Structures are given as structure tokens and as C-alpha cells.
């Protein structure tokens, strides 16, 4: 899973990328049941998303990703903080012609056909009557559902629903597309289709905000990532940052290393040195890899393998979640 | 700004969904049946056969219209929230008020269509039995339609914040109370107690008086109906609907959809 991020790279666009989503100190309480007890699920989160990027909002189940997205979509009202999208306060509704949204596990009117469904969303999005038919055919084609356009959604598979759901989100050609767990519950082929669709939309210049807990997908499509744990943002960074979080080092496996060379290596690479005799593993930072290889080859050792070693998002994620739990075992606290 | 295009898109989708509801057809069936049964009832009576026929017919129309409004209407908003279809709609440039208005109008068109079907049955039965038909009957049916528009607004108001179960109970309660406040007030006025007098007066003033939309008696007795007997209830109905929908909109704006 080391495929590089495709699509356009917003980092290379210019000095100051425009922040199209800004979230400042957002806090949300839920009242489970009817009591007065409030449970805080978002603890003043702050982050921003730049124009043109695929932004991954990542976290374990129950972290508050969907809640954050619902606040951004104006579906629930936050207790504290504010957020703007394309410079508009999220309480407004007119700017929503520039954004699209695919909810988590969406349900759609299953008595409508694919075409009727898209026509309905095109109408409420303000697509003119003249533009609608062509727009809908293009969308059906884009998401690979032309053949199913006259079929009722009741007969759609989960993957087809997810694709018509994305079509619904982009029916009015928005600048930003918000996707909540777009790949969960799909088989590998379905996931690849969605992934390709996301990359294609991004290549067309759309900013993508994506909630997910599937890390391999994040590594493949996201430019930047924020890790949310129990309602708090614990890490924000570029995809390149976590790929090279510890200097892009490598694990080198050697065999038939002469004893004097072993000693020299132990001196030079002490902490990353493991094994003995016929098989020795050395972990080195990228900078020192040439030194190690020169020493080994000059000394007559055999290089079995060199594995570039990256901190995966997964290990970063696991570490972050662990740290967060160690720091704050009651992150989801009862208040008031 | 409320956009007619968006509201009508939601209204037509609401209509499509409402006419798929089987409860609607069951109620419509019994409504039409009762209008037809009027023939049998009236034939048993030698005097005033026409009046019994038409009284049963108009009452069935009003009652079953209200039943459809209550049982079909209260579920529609809840369903959109429950199935989360509202998420995608509100993420579009659709305000919550537009959504609510679209739901209201879609439901209203559904109910009015049912009224039209029952009215047609009423006309057929009247013609078949040779009962008189004139503008009075049209006025009575027209005002019944206005009354139902008020009931639909009440159903929309309740379903903007509560479950279909409670919303249907509240709306049904409202409907019954709306028809008795006038009688209560008259009873109360005859009471010795000033408390009862003022209480029943207040109740009648505070709640919509649904009897003001009832022209059944005038229609079946062929009494003259003055224009103000139609126009005033019409104005009253429109204002009441405005107030109910404004309240529903305020409540709905504040709601969390989760
Ligand atoms: N409707 C709700 N009522 C009460 N608590 C809720 C509700 N929805 C979510 N929560 C709680 O809020 C927290 C965050 O949920 P959510 O945003 O759905 O997480 P995620 O999308 O990251 O899995 C969870 O602890 C969840 O139990
Ligand atoms: Mg979620």
C-alpha cells in the first residue's frame, strides 16, 4: 500500500493556499435520552482545509467525525465555536450551492429511478431545467450508472447506491465535496471505484473533505490528514509528513558479515543493530544508508535486502490514539 | 428568500411519497363508501331523505379528509429525518423553512386530491338520487378544503418536533377540540361561574375554531350563504395557517438532526 497520491497537489500551487474550510473551537454536546445530562462529543476542535486538497478526517468509531460533518452541513448546531465554508458562516444556506454532501450509510428515496433521483437533487440545487437532462446523463456516465438510470434505487447494490450518492453530491458542480465514510461497507472493487472517483473529482479541481476510519484508503487519496480522537484533534499534517515521520530510514538485512565488520557496525549503528552470525538486521536513517552499504560491501558482506521503512498512517494512528487515551482517559466526559 | 422552484421540487416529491401510502387508500375507500351508503340510509327515511344523504356525504368528506391529513401527514417529516434523507436535502441550498413549506404543500395537494375524489363521489350520489346541488354545496366543500389545510398545518407543526405517534394524537386532539370550543363557549356563557365563562371564552379565542369552516347545515337546507360566510372563514384559515407554519418554521430551524 505505497501507491503515491495522485491528482493535483495543492502544495505546489503557490505560497499561501486558500483555506476554504475553517473550523474554530467547535464544541458540541449531546443529550442522550431525556435527562439533563450532557455528553460533550466535540471539545473545541480547530482545523482548516485548503483549496484543492483531499483532506482526510480520520479517527476511530465514535470519535466525532460524523458530528463534525453534521455541524458543517448545518444539520446540528454547535454549543461553542464557529466555522466558515468558502468564507460563509455555516448557518447560512445560499452558499451551499457550492458544496455537496454524501452522508454516512445514506438512504435514498428508493421509489425513484436513478434519473428521477438526480433530477430531484438537481432541482433543489438550482440547476436550470434546460441544463438538467444533459447534466444528469453526464453524471450517470461519470459514476458508471448509465445502464441503471431507469432502474429504481430499490434495486441498486450498496456500491451503486454509494455512487449515485456521490452523483447527487456533485449534481450542481460544487467546489467542495464532503463525504462521510464513502468507502465503508464496500467490497474491494467498490472501494476502488469510489477511490478513483474521488481522485478524478480532485483532479477536476474540487476540494474533498472525507471522513474515514479506513487507513489504507486515506494513504492512497489524501493530501492532508487530521486525526480525531474522542472529540479532540490529536494530529494534523500532510500525507508526506507521516510517510517520512522518522526520516525515511531503511531496514537492511545482511548475511556472511565478517566478524571485524560486525564489530565496526556495532560501533557505528549500535542502537539499530540486531542479530548475529549469518544474519544481521540494521535499521538506519536515510542519511546513513550509503555508509552502511559501503561498509558492508567493502567488507565482503552480502546485502540480502534493503527495505525503506516508513511510519505508516496506521502506526501513527495507533500511537496517537494510545497517547490520547493515556493522556486523557475521560476524554468523553460528562459535563453539567 | 424562499425559492418557488425548490419548494415545488420538495412538494412534488412529497406528493409522490404520500400517494404511495396504503393508509391513504384505505381511508379514501371508507370515505367514498360512507358517501355511497348515504343512499341506503336516506331511502329508509321518507322525510328529508336528500338531507340525510347529503349530511352523511359532507360529514364523511370532512371527517375522512381530516383522518387522511392526520395519519398520512404526521409521518412524512419524521420519515425524512429518520431515514436521513433530510441530510442531503438540507446540505443543498434549501433552507429549513423551504423544506417545511414543500412538505406542507405536497401534503396539502395530496389531501385536496382526496377531497376532490370524495366530492366527485358526493356529486355522483346526489345526481343519482336526484338530490339538489348548487353553489351552497360547492361553498361547503370548498371551506372543508380550507379546514383541512388548517389541519395539515397543525400536523406539520406537531411533526416538526415530535414523533408521528404523538403528532397524530396531538393533531387528532386539536381537531376534536377545534370543533367543540364553540359549543363549550356557549355552554360556558350560560354558566354561573365567571371562571367557567372566561375560561371557555379564552379557549375558543385561543384555539382555531374549526366549526367556522362548517357550512354543512346551510348547504343541505339550501339556506342562502352570504359572501362573507365564505370569505371571512377563508381569511381566518389563511391567517391561521400562516401562524402555524411560522411557529413550525421557528421550531424546525432550531432542531438538531441526529
Ligand atoms: N444522536 C446522538 N445522541 C447522543 N450521542 C450521540 C449521537 N450521535 C452520536 N453520539 C455520540 O457522539 C460521539 C461521536 O459520534 P460520531 O460523530 O458519530 O462519531 P464517528 O463518526 O467519528 O464514528 C459518540 O460517542 C456517539 O456515541
Ligand atoms: Mg461516523
Amino acid at each position: 500500500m505505497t501507491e503515491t497520491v495522485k491528482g493535483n497537489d495543492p502544495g505546489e500551487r503557490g505560497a499561501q493556499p486558500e483555506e476554504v474550510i475553517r473550523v474554530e473551537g467547535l464544541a458540541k454536546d449531546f443529550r442522550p435520552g431525556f435527562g439533563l445530562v450532557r455528553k460533550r462529543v466535540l471539545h473545541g476542535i480547530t482545523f482548516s482545509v485548503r483549496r484543492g486538497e483531499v483532506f482526510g478526517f480520520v479517527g476511530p468509531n465514535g470519535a466525532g467525525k460524523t458530528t463534525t460533518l453534521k455541524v458543517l452541513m448545518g444539520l446540528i448546531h454547535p454549543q461553542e465555536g464557529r466555522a466558515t465554508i468558502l468564507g460563509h458562516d455555516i448557518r447560512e444556506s445560499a452558499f451551499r450551492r457550492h458544496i455537496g454532501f454524501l452522508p454516512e450509510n445514506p438512504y435514498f428515496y428508493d421509489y425513484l429511478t436513478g434519473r428521477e433521483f438526480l433530477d430531484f437533487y438537481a432541482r433543489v440545487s438550482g440547476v436550470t431545467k434546460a441544463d438538467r437532462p444533459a447534466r444528469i446523463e453526464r453524471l450517470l456516465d461519470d459514476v458508471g450508472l448509465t445502464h441503471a438510470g431507469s432502474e429504481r434505487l430499490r434495486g441498486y447494490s450498496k456500491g451503486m447506491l454509494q455512487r449515485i450518492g456521490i452523483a447527487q453530491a456533485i449534481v450542481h458542480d460544487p467546489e467542495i465535496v464532503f463525504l462521510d465514510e464513502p468507502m465503508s461497507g464496500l467490497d474491494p472493487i467498490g472501494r476502488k471505484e469510489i477511490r478513483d472517483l474521488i481522485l478524478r473529482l480532485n483532479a477536476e479541481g474540487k476540494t474533498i473533505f472525507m471522513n474515514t476510519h479506513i487507513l489504507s484508503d486515506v494513504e492512497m487519496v489524501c493530501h492532508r490528514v487530521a486525526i480525531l480522537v474522542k472529540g479532540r484533534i490529536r494530529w494534523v499534517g500532510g500525507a508526506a509528513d507521516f510517510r517520512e515521520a522518522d526520516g525515511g530510514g531503511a531496514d537492511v538485512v545482511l548475511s556472511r558479515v565478517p566478524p571485524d565488520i560486525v564489530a565496526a557496525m556495532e560501533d557505528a549503528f549500535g542502537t539499530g543493530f540486531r542479530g548475529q552470525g549469518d544474519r544481521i538486521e540494521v535499521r538506519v536513517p536515510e542519511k546513513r544508508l550509503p555508509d552502511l552499504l559501503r561498509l558492508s560491501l567493502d567488507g565482503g558482506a552480502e546485502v540480502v535486502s534493503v527495505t525503506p521503512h516508513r511510519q505508516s498512517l496506521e502506526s501513527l494512528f495507533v500511537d496517537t490514539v494510545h497517547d490520547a487515551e493515556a493522556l486523557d482517559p475521560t476524554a468523553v466526559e460528562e459535563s453539567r | 428568500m424562499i425559492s418557488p422552484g425548490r419548494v415545488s421540487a420538495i412538494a412534488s416529491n412529497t406528493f409522490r411519497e404520500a400517494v404511495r401510502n396504503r393508509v391513504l387508500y384505505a381511508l379514501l375507500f371508507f370515505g367514498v363508501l360512507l358517501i355511497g351508503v348515504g343512499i341506503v340510509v336516506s331511502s329508509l327515511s321518507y322525510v328529508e331523505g336528500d338531507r340525510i344523504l347529503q349530511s352523511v356525504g359532507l360529514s364523511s368528506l370532512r371527517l375522512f379528509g381530516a383522518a387522511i391529513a392526520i395519519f398520512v401527514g404526521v409521518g412524512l417529516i419524521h420519515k425524512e429525518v429518520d431515514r436521513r434523507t433530510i441530510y442531503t436535502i438540507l446540505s443543498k441550498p434549501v433552507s429549513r423553512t423551504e423544506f417545511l413549506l414543500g412538505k406542507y404543500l405536497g401534503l396539502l395537494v395530496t389531501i385536496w386530491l382526496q377531497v376532490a375524489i370524495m366530492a366527485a363521489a358526493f356529486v355522483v350520489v346526489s345526481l343519482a338520487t336526484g338530490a339538489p346541488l348548487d353553489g351552497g354545496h360547492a361553498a361547503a366543500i370548498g371551506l372543508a378544503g380550507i379546514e383541512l389545510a388548517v389541519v395539515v398545518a397543525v400536523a406539520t407543526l406537531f411533526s416538526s418536533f415530535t414523533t408521528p405517534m404523538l403528532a397524530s394524537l396531538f393533531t387528532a386532539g386539536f381537531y376534536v377540540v377545534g370543533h367543540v370550543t364553540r359549543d363549550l363557549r356557549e355552554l360556558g356563557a350560560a354558566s354561573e361561574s365567571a371562571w367557567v365563562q372566561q375560561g371557555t371564552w379564552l379557549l375558543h379565542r385561543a384555539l382555531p375554531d374549526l366549526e367556522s369552516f362548517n357550512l354543512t347545515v346551510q348547504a343541505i337546507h339550501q339556506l342562502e350563504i352570504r359572501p362573507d360566510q365564505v370569505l371571512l372563514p377563508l381569511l381566518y384559515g389563511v391567517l391561521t395557517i400562516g401562524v402555524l407554519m411560522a411557529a413550525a418554521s421557528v421550531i424546525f430551524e432550531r432542531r438538531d438532526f441526529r
Side-chain angles (χ1 to χ4, degrees), chain A residues 56-92:
Chain A
F57 202 52
V58 187
N61 283 329
K65 305 181 295 293
T66 298
T67 304
T68 306
L69 203 42
K70 282 191 191 170
V71 170
L72 291 178
M73 295 301 103
L75 297 169
I76 57 177
H77 306 296
Q79 264 73 29
E80 292 165 25
R82 61 189 297 270
T84 58
I85 297 177
L86 296 165
H88 295 272
D89 190 289
I90 49 168
R91 283 167 294 192
E92 298 170 28

Side-chain angles (χ1 to χ4, degrees), chain A residues 28 30 70 74-77 93 96 101 103 105 107 109 111 116 120-121 123-125 168 172, chain B residues 6 8-9 12-13 16-17 20 80 83-85 87-89 91-93 96 253-254 256-258:
Chain A
K28 178 67 193 171
F30 275 142
K70 282 191 191 170
L75 297 169
I76 57 177
H77 306 296
S93 100
R96 295 190 186 278
F101 173 45
N105 304 320
Y107 168 91
Y109 307 103
Y111 51 88
E116 290 168 342
F120 170 69
Y121 281 99
R123 281 177 77 185
V124 291
S125 305
Q168 158 282 127
H172 49 312
Chain B
R6 293 194 289 262
S8 73
S12 60
N13 194 45
R16 270 189 92 148
E17 179 147 18
R20 293 170 42 79
E80 299 251 23
R83 295 181 174 177
R84 305 187 299 266
T85 44
Y87 292 2
T88 39
I89 296 179
S91 75
K92 303 291 184 196
R96 294 188 181 192
E253 274 311 323
R254 300 168 55 93
D256 267 3
F257 298 109
R258 50 196 179 99

Side-chain angles (χ1 to χ4, degrees), chain A residues 55-58 65-66 69 179-182 209-213:
Chain A
F55 184 85
F57 202 52
V58 187
K65 305 181 295 293
T66 298
L69 203 42
L179 306 169
D180 197 352
E181 307 276 4
F209 180 103
M210 181 172 106
N211 274 359
T212 185
H213 65 271

